[in-house]
Amino acid sequence: MLRQGPKRIYQGLRSSVQFLTIMPWPGEGAFDARAALPFFPICGLGIGVALVVVDALASQLWPRLIVSLIDVVALAVISGALHLDGLADTADGLYGRREPEKILSIMKDSRVGAMGVVVVVCGLFLKWMGIAHIAAHYKIWLLLVPAYARAAVLFGTRFLPYGRPGGGTAHPFFHPPLKATDFWSVVVLVALSLLISWQSIILNAGFAAVMVTVLWWYRRKMNCITGDMLGALIEIIETGLFLVAAIQWGA
């Protein structure tokens, strides 16, 4: 990371915030997808900080169920519902038995089908219930889970080829391919989680299990990945880890 230079680090962090959130960033500069990718987990930590603040403020006014619902809404608003859109398109495309070309065509369609609506509603409900049942003294996981969810994108772009070689929103993230040194932010994230509590071993294991399962399914179904599928991966990881946290650290 240090060999990239301050300008490259600044460019990567700014680009990751611009892409993953609706948060404004002072100054101007060209978007650099490849520089942004290693900073996705760091941006995820920033989203987690915002979520912790929202949760703390809302907890002063409302009971836990309402607060957790506000947390879910906050996550959707901060990301501009970008990943939810990807989840809906992925669900519409991958549902049923279709050829890869047909799946890619369906995912490119701006319209949302019945399966996409059902999956998004169910996903948001599960995320709501997962957050609602995390014990109060384990709220630190509200900080970490968004970071882990966005860290999954690094593995998706590294281990699966891009499904639209002719172009697409996510195409710049795949070239050139990630190197092992680009995963420095994942190492930082894991170290931070273990520093907070040794029980986060379960959180890391849950992350690995869910991520490997989803990527295996993508490979089996499509043998590639798209921007929509990366967005769906973020939502699935986020929901899955909140449910894991509710099991391990539930009230």
Side-chain angles (χ1 to χ4, degrees), residues 6-17:
K7 184 176 180 180
R8 183 68 171 173
I9 294 172
Y10 173 83
Q11 187 178 32
L13 184 59
R14 177 183 53 78
S15 295
S16 68
V17 172

Side-chain angles (χ1 to χ4, degrees), residues 77-167:
V77 170
I78 290 171
S79 66
L82 175 67
H83 316 314
L84 289 172
D85 180 65
L87 178 63
D89 289 340
T90 300
D92 284 335
L94 296 185
Y95 175 71
R97 297 178 180 273
R98 301 186 180 99
E99 294 297 319
E101 294 76 13
K102 179 64 175 177
I103 293 174
L104 290 173
S105 175
I106 292 173
M107 287 194 290
K108 195 173 183 179
D109 194 330
S110 59
R111 295 170 295 181
V112 178
M115 183 53 61
V117 172
V118 169
V119 169
V120 168
V121 170
C122 290
L124 290 174
F125 185 81
L126 288 173
K127 188 184 294 186
W128 174 30
M129 289 294 98
I131 295 175
H133 289 86
I134 297 176
H137 53 288
Y138 285 112
K139 294 289 185 64
I140 192 65
W141 308 115
L142 296 177
L143 167 70
L144 294 176
V145 168
Y148 273 98
R150 284 141 189 90
V153 176
L154 277 72
F155 294 91
T157 56
R158 178 63 181 84
F159 295 108
L160 285 175
Y162 187 53
R164 303 185 191 275

Side-chain angles (χ1 to χ4, degrees), residues 157-240:
T157 56
R158 178 63 181 84
F159 295 108
L160 285 175
Y162 187 53
R164 303 185 191 275
T169 303
H171 187 265
F173 290 101
F174 287 78
H175 302 286
L178 288 176
K179 302 176 182 178
T181 52
D182 290 319
F183 286 78
W184 61 266
S185 54
V186 179
V187 176
V188 170
L189 179 59
V190 172
L192 177 62
S193 71
L194 294 175
L195 184 64
I196 291 171
S197 171
W198 67 267
Q199 291 177 316
S200 61
I201 292 173
I202 297 175
L203 193 68
N204 284 285
F207 167 70
V210 176
M211 181 187 63
V212 169
T213 300
V214 175
L215 293 183
W216 170 82
W217 185 56
Y218 282 173
R219 181 176 292 278
R220 184 172 179 270
K221 192 80 174 179
M222 295 286 294
N223 198 32
C224 66
I225 198 166
T226 67
D228 285 327
M229 293 163 72
L230 287 170
L233 177 64
I234 289 175
E235 284 296 321
I236 293 169
I237 293 286
E238 204 166 66
T239 301

